[in-house]
Amino acid sequence: MTDVDHYIRAATRDNTRLSYRAAIEHFESHWGGFLPTTADSVARYLVDYANTLSVNTLRQRLAGLAAWHLDQGFPDPTKAPHVKKVLKGIAELHPVVQKQAKPIQLDQLTLLVNSFDRFIENGSPKEALQSIRDKALLLIGFWRAFRSDELARLCVEHIQAEAGKGMEIFVPRSKGDHSRLGRRYKAPALQQLCPVEAYLDWISAAQLQSGPVFRSINRWGQVSDDALHPASIIGIIKKCCTQADIDEANLFSSHSLRRGFATWANAQGWDTKSLMEYVGWKDVQSAMRYIDTPDPFAQYRSETGMAKGTAQIEREEQQSIQSLLEVLLVLEPYSKLSKRTERAKKMIERHCLSPWSMKKNGSEGRKYEITVEHSDGDSLDEILDELLHQMHQIASENQCMLEVNIRDPRTDKHWD
């Protein structure tokens, strides 16, 4: 790789490259398209997947195709007027309700911290060390409304923290930082649920001087040199919520901390401009997607005796369901020289399947069973969409093609 190629590669985020690569693989391998392609082919490709892929996913596919053509010096077929009209028509005929992560509320954060403190005091050395790490992870993630990739990217040398005063965090790059200048964040020292104290406790317990802040811990309680994978943070959040006996723990995701803080700040009376500046949102629409606004009819129901009945209905509707699902997993290397297939498989098992009570079926090592807890069909779709995204991301990072199918044997419904 030349110096020019090195800097060109650095100009694009890793996740963006993975998304573009997945788009090209899907267009060529799954649909059977050829590159360079034409606007007519792109339009037919959109139509063929209009019923199975969301409009946002189709837009990501178009972005990947556009990037490939521009990088190779070809005209961009995705900008043709009839391609845009086809995409607009799909959006009109196949509207999709935006799926959102369940926010972690402040009282739930308190339950989590109490659970961590119990393990720190009474658990094994490994459990205590993991709890110190997870306490810092969740408190920093909540009070700074960080994404999982931002938490995984934090480095000790980029953080200055002083007990009782606060901390300043420099994040060199993030999703919204298109200028690549990085951004500094400040977090306050608090009397309760303090992110500063939790961070200093973790740095001291793990004896970290530099490098990634949040790292994996092996079965012997040894801290790794490598940062946590962003996908593993989702599993950590779910596991911690389960240990703290929080209801519907499996419905939380990597955005739960971010949505939880935004909802808390809104309830405390923060104006939208202050919240956007604190979190780093560039537009109001992005901010509003993360905020759970108060129910405007709550007072009326309380006064008319409707609140009790409504709460009972909501509890019945949100009653937890457990679904036993079959998973078929096939990994193939991009080339015969690649030797990372087994590594990708182990990472998928550990980060994606194990949190769902994974059981292996058969001797081929391709079939599994997982048990997914959810409240309804929509929440199951959301959980599996995120799970499939994580699996494809791990496969792409390890130079592998992934074919995966998840099936509910009771209904014969498939997700892939």
Side-chain angles (χ1 to χ4, degrees):
M1 181 183 292
T2 67
D3 290 343
V4 173
D5 291 335
H6 174 72
Y7 286 111
I8 289 175
R9 179 179 176 82
T12 306
R13 295 177 70 249
D14 290 341
N15 283 348
T16 302
R17 274 197 300 274
L18 292 173
S19 176
Y20 288 173
R21 187 188 304 163
I24 297 303
E25 290 170 9
H26 190 265
F27 183 80
E28 289 187 309
S29 302
H30 291 264
W31 190 64
F34 296 95
L35 294 175
T37 191
T38 64
D40 287 338
S41 293
V42 173
R44 290 198 304 272
Y45 170 71
L46 293 176
V47 170
D48 285 349
Y49 288 98
N51 290 314
T52 55
L53 296 179
S54 70
V55 173
N56 285 338
T57 300
L58 291 175
R59 288 195 180 105
Q60 291 175 351
R61 300 281 193 255
L62 291 183
L65 290 171
W68 186 93
H69 283 81
L70 294 174
D71 288 345
Q72 303 300 321
F74 294 107
D76 179 6
T78 69
K79 295 296 188 290
H82 68 289
V83 171
K84 294 181 178 180
K85 286 183 178 179
V86 167
L87 187 63
K88 184 177 180 180
I90 292 172
E92 288 290 333
L93 297 177
H94 302 278
V96 177
V97 178
Q98 182 94 18
K99 296 177 180 178
Q100 295 182 322
K102 182 178 180 180
I104 290 180
Q105 307 290 353
L106 199 65
D107 58 342
Q108 294 169 329
L109 191 64
T110 302
L111 292 174
L112 286 163
V113 169
N114 291 340
S115 174
F116 294 141
D117 290 341
R118 287 194 296 271
F119 278 105
I120 292 169
E121 187 172 342
N122 303 316
S124 66
K126 178 193 171 185
E127 290 174 332
L129 190 61
Q130 282 182 329
S131 295
I132 295 171
R133 179 201 64 188
D134 296 345
K135 182 178 179 180
L137 179 76
L138 267 65
L139 287 176
I140 293 176
F142 182 89
W143 289 116
R144 273 306 341 170
F146 280 149
R147 303 179 183 88
S148 59
D149 63 311
E150 291 169 332
L151 288 168
R153 207 177 288 135
L154 295 182
C155 289
V156 176
E157 53 266 37
H158 293 156
I159 299 178
Q160 289 80 44
E162 186 174 350
K165 291 190 175 181
M167 64 193 303
E168 184 175 287
I169 305 167
F170 177 67
V171 179
R173 53 194 172 92
S174 62
K175 183 178 179 181
D177 181 22
H178 301 298
S179 62
R180 301 294 190 272
L181 298 176
R183 184 178 173 191
R184 296 189 181 276
Y185 298 86
K186 291 185 179 180
L190 304 172
Q191 292 184 349
Q192 296 179 334
L193 309 177
C194 180
V196 182
E197 181 183 349
Y199 168 77
L200 292 172
D201 287 346
W202 163 239
I203 294 299
S204 174
Q207 300 180 355
L208 301 181
Q209 301 295 327
S210 62
V213 173
F214 297 115
R215 314 177 184 203
S216 60
I217 300 172
N218 66 21
R219 69 183 72 180
W220 299 283
Q222 298 168 330
V223 179
S224 169
D225 292 332
D226 300 324
L228 284 172
H229 192 284
S232 70
I233 293 177
I234 301 169
I236 290 172
I237 292 173
K238 294 178 188 293
K239 178 182 176 183
C240 292
C241 289
T242 300
Q243 290 176 338
D245 293 327
I246 295 175
D247 293 338
E248 298 180 332
N250 286 328
L251 300 184
F252 294 106
S253 77
S254 57
H255 286 278
S256 294
L257 296 170
R258 194 172 176 86
R259 283 201 72 213
F261 174 81
T263 301
W264 172 84
N266 184 63
Q268 295 300 307
W270 286 39
D271 62 82
T272 305
K273 184 175 183 294
S274 298
L275 180 58
M276 288 172 62
E277 290 177 352
Y278 185 84
V279 176
W281 287 310
K282 301 298 183 184
D283 61 90
V284 175
Q285 191 174 14
S286 296
M288 297 310 295
R289 283 202 302 265
Y290 281 87
I291 298 172
D292 273 357
T293 55
D295 182 356
F297 295 104
Q299 181 64 30
Y300 173 76
R301 284 201 302 267
S302 177
E303 292 173 353
T304 59
M306 293 171 62
K308 183 176 180 181
T310 304
Q312 179 66 31
I313 292 171
E314 290 176 350
R315 280 196 296 272
E316 291 174 357
E317 290 179 345
Q318 296 178 0
Q319 190 172 13
S320 180
I321 304 167
Q322 287 193 339
S323 293
L324 181 66
L325 306 176
E326 299 172 350
V327 181
L328 176 63
L329 185 72
V330 180
L331 283 162
E332 296 289 344
Y334 284 159
S335 70
K336 295 180 180 179
L337 299 177
S338 177
K339 299 180 179 180
R340 300 172 67 177
T341 306
E342 190 61 30
R343 181 175 183 268
K345 180 181 176 183
K346 289 180 179 179
M347 289 183 69
I348 289 173
E349 289 179 349
R350 183 173 64 200
H351 298 313
C352 302
L353 302 181
S354 291
W356 303 103
S357 305
M358 177 192 77
K359 292 182 181 178
K360 296 183 179 181
N361 284 340
S363 57
E364 296 179 350
R366 304 194 310 179
K367 296 180 180 180
Y368 305 84
E369 284 185 355
I370 57 174
T371 302
V372 177
E373 186 175 343
H374 57 98
S375 59
D376 54 29
D378 288 341
S379 67
L380 180 60
D381 288 342
E382 181 177 355
I383 290 168
L384 296 182
D385 283 346
E386 185 171 353
L387 184 63
L388 288 166
H389 173 73
Q390 295 168 23
M391 294 166 75
H392 281 287
Q393 184 175 17
I394 291 172
S396 293
E397 288 175 350
N398 287 278
Q399 320 273 300
C400 296
M401 289 279 290
L402 171 66
E403 290 187 20
V404 58
N405 182 274
I406 303 176
R407 173 178 172 268
D408 187 338
R410 294 181 302 107
T411 62
D412 200 34
K413 183 175 180 179
H414 292 255
W415 296 263
D416 51 27

